[in-house]
Amino acid sequence: MTADLGGLQRLPHIIGRGRAAHLALTGEPIDARTAESWGLVTEVLDSPDALLARAEELGEALAALPPKALAGTKRTLVDGLDHNQSMKNAVLWNAQHVSVDNLQAALSKNSTGR
């Protein structure tokens, strides 16, 4: 099955075509520090407590912003994503090439750990 929710279209813009192809084709995991250095995550924290504290800090900062400005900024960021023909092409590809049997087999295989 080809990913059809925009990840393959956006990922190369974030981490480059080579890295995106490697991840998409191999499915190999990467560690948190690599994800941060590649730009997939904005921060890596040392503990679950540090993560919770940072999330609360960011939540409070966002809650203090004017709601309409926050909503407008979020909407503009979403609208600015590359909504190109390739996303539609991936959906059409899946509709034409992925049978229910293939999908069920893939989901079954995935749920058993590959």
Side-chain angles (χ1 to χ4, degrees):
M1 180 170 194
T2 300
D4 59 7
L5 297 176
L8 292 180
Q9 290 76 21
R10 290 190 284 271
L11 193 58
H13 297 287
I14 298 169
I15 65 174
R17 293 177 72 92
R19 288 176 175 160
H22 180 84
L23 290 179
L25 296 172
T26 67
E28 291 177 357
I30 60 172
D31 62 36
R33 295 289 176 200
T34 300
E36 182 183 33
S37 72
W38 287 5
L40 287 172
V41 298
T42 56
E43 290 181 75
V44 174
L45 301 163
D46 295 327
S47 70
D49 290 337
L51 174 62
L52 182 58
R54 183 67 175 133
E56 288 175 353
E57 179 184 325
L58 287 172
E60 289 171 5
L62 292 173
L65 296 174
K68 287 188 178 183
L70 182 63
T73 299
K74 288 169 33 177
R75 183 66 197 184
T76 300
L77 287 169
V78 170
D79 287 347
L81 294 174
D82 189 15
H83 294 289
N84 59 28
Q85 187 63 37
S86 64
M87 289 175 62
K88 293 177 185 175
N89 291 344
V91 171
L92 291 173
W93 174 270
N94 287 336
Q96 293 171 350
H97 298 284
V98 178
S99 71
V100 172
D101 292 339
N102 290 357
L103 185 56
Q104 287 175 337
L107 291 173
S108 175
K109 185 186 290 188
N110 195 30
S111 68
T112 60
R114 277 193 173 220

